[in-house]
Amino acid sequence: MSLIVIGATSEIGQSTAKIFFGAGHDLLLIARDINLLRERYPKESGIGPSVDISQGCIDDLKSTKSLAETVIGSLRSDPYVLIAIGSIQNETLSRVSSDSATYIIDVNFRNLVALITPIAEALRERREGCLIILSSVAGDRGRQSNYVYGSAKAGLSTYTQGLRSRLVLDGVHVLTVKPGYVDTAMLREALGETYRKIPRFLVGDLDRVGE
């Protein structure tokens, strides 16, 4: 078994990678910032599982296609692929700016579909593997506070639900994870002072989510 993490500098991606590494599984870690990857994942000592790093992003369809090719070319026996990439950005701005709204839709849905589709097909041809895709409870219903982001996640959840039904007979498992509030820097930055008002029992522990 091996794990490919797309979005490896995200806190959930890091937590999951740590668990897989501790269990003795090889890792390929992909993120936009290759230097940050090198800081967070120092060069392996040669003892234990291998850890490879690569640069990749989904800012546009060209870079998304390149990222998908990297992942497909790196698939090993019984591969797990975690897609923990996306952006909350400025929800307030997205309500009045078509550029901002389009960006949120692109990086949280359109470009993710462009990334997942060829990877899913590669796994189907191999008749093995697991796709783990982070979505969000924000897509469960339209909320005044984050309906642009939520609409992208709703699309992603519906897409992965159909993909799961299609691939199950080919031996490929598709898991959609909607963890809700998780104690991450991205959430704290996105919510600002509102974060302090959320009851602690509603905020998930990062390591528990990684498991």
Side-chain angles (χ1 to χ4, degrees), residues 11-13 16 82-84 132-140 143 149 153 156-157 175-184 186-187 200-211:
E11 289 172 272
I12 293 177
T16 306
L82 169 62
I83 299 177
I132 308 165
I133 300 148
L134 288 190
S135 187
S136 173
V137 294
D140 289 352
R143 296 170 173 83
Y149 174 77
K153 291 300 186 179
L156 181 63
S157 294
L175 176 64
T176 308
V177 179
K178 299 192 288 186
Y181 289 131
V182 181
D183 186 18
T184 64
M186 185 176 79
L187 180 68
R200 293 299 89 191
F201 69 87
L202 292 178
V203 181
D205 177 78
L206 183 60
D207 290 334
R208 289 288 301 276
V209 173
E211 293 175 359

Side-chain angles (χ1 to χ4, degrees), residues 154-182:
L156 181 63
S157 294
T158 301
Y159 170 79
T160 56
Q161 181 181 21
L163 184 65
R164 176 165 49 254
S165 298
R166 172 174 171 251
L167 296 186
V168 65
L169 297 179
D170 294 306
V172 178
H173 182 49
V174 178
L175 176 64
T176 308
V177 179
K178 299 192 288 186
Y181 289 131
V182 181

